[in-house]
Amino acid sequence: MTVNILFAALPQRWDSYREPLSTALREAGIDFDLRTEFAPAEVDYIVYAPNSAVQDFTPYTRLKAVLNIWAGVEKITGNPTLKVPLTRMVDEGLTRGMVEYVTGHVLRHHLGMDKHIRGLAPGDWPQDFPPLAQDRRVTVLGLGELGAVCATTLAGLGFDVAGWSRSPKTVEGVSCHHGDAGLKAALTHAEILVLLLPDTPATQNLIDAEALERMPMGAMIVNPGRGPLIDDEALLAALDAGHIGHATLDVFRVEPLPAEHRYWTHPHVTVTPHIASETRAPSASRVLAENVRRFEAGEPLLHLVDRTAGY
Ligand code: NDP
C-alpha cells in the first residue's frame, strides 16, 4: 500500500530534499507519495522541521511517526498534540560539518591566530610560540553523535581531551566524566570548552557564573550546541573581567541575534549565524527513508527521541 509522506519544512528545504528523498525512498523499496500538501487525515509520516507551519498534529489521525530533519528537537518535544514516535536527525554530513567547525575554532584559539590576523605593528616580532596540542586541555560537554566524534578528532590532533555526558561513556582517547559529580572535573580541565549538549530543562543555564568560575583563567568557549546552555549575563561579566578569554558563539536564545545585543560588539566574542553545520539532503534522505522502511517492516526506528529526557 502507498505510504503518504508530508514534507513539512520551509520551501527552500523542499527544493533541496525533493529529489534525494524520492531517490532514497525508491531505493529503500517504499511505495510512496511524497508531497508538501495532503489532507491531514491521509498522512502516514511527516518529514518535519520545527519552523514549518505544522504545529498542531491533532488532525493527522493516521500519522505513524514524525521524522525531524534537525538534530535539535527542543521546539517539538513538548508539543502535547504529538502522540506518535519522534525521531531526530543523525546524518553523516551534519556530523562531518560539525567536526570541521569545532576543529577550526578550537585550533584558532589554540594557535592564537587572531593576533596575526589582526596584524602586528610593523617591526614587531614577538615570537610567542603556542603550546603543542598535547599541552592544551579541551573539554567537550555532550558526548553524543556530534560531541563524541568532535572529541575523538581533537584527541587525534593530540589535544588533552575530556568529555562529559549524562550517562557513563567510553570514548577512545578521551577522559570521560558524567553526571553532576563529573561536571566539576570537566570544567576545571577546560582551557577550551566546546558545548555540544541539547537544550533541555536540565541543561539550560548550565554554563552560569559558578561554572565559568571553575574554568581556568583565560579559557575559551566554543558553543555550537544551543543558546540557552549559557547564562548570557554571566558570560559577558566573565569576558569583561578577562576570566574568559574569548567566546565563539553559533547559537543564541533569540535568532537572529538582535542587532543591539552586546555579543555583536564585544571584542572577545565571535558571532557565527547558526552555521556550524546543517543536514545534507542526500545523506539525510537515506536516514529518513531507512526509518520509513523500518517502521513499515515493524522494526525499531533509528534515532528515536526520549521525550521525557527532552533529546
Ligand atoms: P545527542 O543526543 O546524540 O547527544 C547529546 C549528548 O548530550 C549526549 O552525550 C548526552 O548524554 C548529553 N546530555 C544530554 N543531557 C545531559 C545532561 N543533563 N547532563 C549531561 N549530559 C547530557 O545529540 P547530538 O550530538 O546529535 O547533538 C547535540 C546538539 O547539537 C543538538 O541537540 C543541537 O542542539 C546541536 N546542533 C547544533 C547545530 C548547529 O549548526 N549549531 C547542528 C546540529 C546540532 P548521554 O550520552 O548520556 O545521553
Side-chain angles (χ1 to χ4, degrees):
M1 202 168 110
T2 304
V3 292
N4 291 338
I5 304 173
L6 174 68
F7 189 89
L10 296 182
Q12 58 267 37
R13 289 288 186 169
W14 177 236
D15 294 342
S16 53
Y17 271 87
R18 181 183 194 149
E19 275 189 36
L21 185 52
S22 301
T23 305
L25 288 162
R26 259 193 306 277
E27 285 174 359
I30 296 154
D31 175 10
F32 67 95
D33 188 358
L34 172 67
R35 292 195 243 149
T36 54
E37 278 183 32
F38 274 108
E42 291 174 2
V43 174
D44 295 299
Y45 297 90
I46 303 182
V47 171
Y48 188 70
N51 59 355
S52 85
V54 177
Q55 297 297 327
D56 179 6
F57 294 93
T58 316
Y60 295 86
T61 46
R62 83 178 210 203
L63 191 61
K64 297 174 183 173
V66 171
L67 314 175
N68 204 45
I69 59 170
W70 297 359
V73 286
E74 69 278 1
K75 291 197 165 66
I76 182 177
T77 45
N79 188 323
T81 67
L82 181 64
K83 310 282 188 202
V84 296
L86 169 69
T87 63
R88 64 185 204 94
M89 184 47 69
V90 174
D91 156 44
E92 62 187 69
L94 180 75
T95 305
R96 291 316 312 161
M98 187 59 79
V99 167
E100 291 174 20
Y101 178 94
V102 166
T103 309
H105 285 276
V106 166
L107 281 172
R108 167 192 169 199
H109 294 313
H110 166 63
L111 295 173
M113 288 182 188
D114 290 22
K115 201 165 27 181
H116 308 286
I117 292 168
R118 273 198 302 270
L120 300 170
D124 258 7
W125 204 250
Q127 290 189 298
D128 304 327
F129 292 97
L132 288 176
Q134 67 194 33
D135 298 318
R136 180 78 73 186
R137 293 176 292 137
V138 179
T139 292
V140 181
L141 298 188
L143 291 174
E145 297 289 342
L146 300 175
V149 187
C150 289
T152 44
T153 304
L154 293 168
L157 287 172
F159 287 104
D160 176 359
V161 183
W164 183 69
S165 52
R166 197 159 66 111
S167 54
K169 287 255 136 65
T170 306
V171 180
E172 204 186 333
V174 177
S175 315
C176 294
H177 305 271
H178 69 276
D180 292 346
L183 182 60
K184 289 179 188 159
L187 290 170
T188 308
H189 184 92
E191 288 178 304
I192 302 178
L193 180 72
V194 178
L195 298 176
L196 275 167
L197 293 162
D199 172 5
T200 72
T203 61
Q204 283 171 10
N205 290 318
L206 186 81
I207 304 305
D208 59 6
E210 194 187 328
L212 293 163
E213 188 59 35
R214 280 192 193 283
M215 293 170 60
M217 188 70 184
M220 320 277 187
I221 295 176
V222 179
N223 182 20
R226 280 293 182 263
L229 300 174
I230 295 179
D231 174 338
D232 295 318
E233 289 309 315
L235 175 58
L236 283 163
L239 285 161
D240 288 342
H243 187 83
I244 298 299
H246 198 99
T248 296
L249 307 174
D250 186 57
V251 282
F252 305 90
R253 280 163 204 274
V254 178
E255 293 181 12
L257 182 65
E260 65 281 6
H261 200 286
R262 272 193 71 205
Y263 282 150
W264 283 115
T265 50
H266 200 289
H268 300 303
V269 174
T270 300
V271 171
T272 61
H274 202 145
I275 46 76
S277 191
E278 68 163 353
T279 52
R280 312 289 155 147
S283 45
S285 293
R286 290 193 288 275
V287 178
L288 296 166
E290 170 62 8
N291 259 343
V292 174
R293 187 202 66 74
R294 281 172 168 254
F295 202 90
E296 291 300 304
E299 296 172 23
L301 288 167
L302 298 171
H303 320 309
L304 196 61
V305 173
D306 173 352
R307 290 181 65 194
T308 318
Y311 70 101

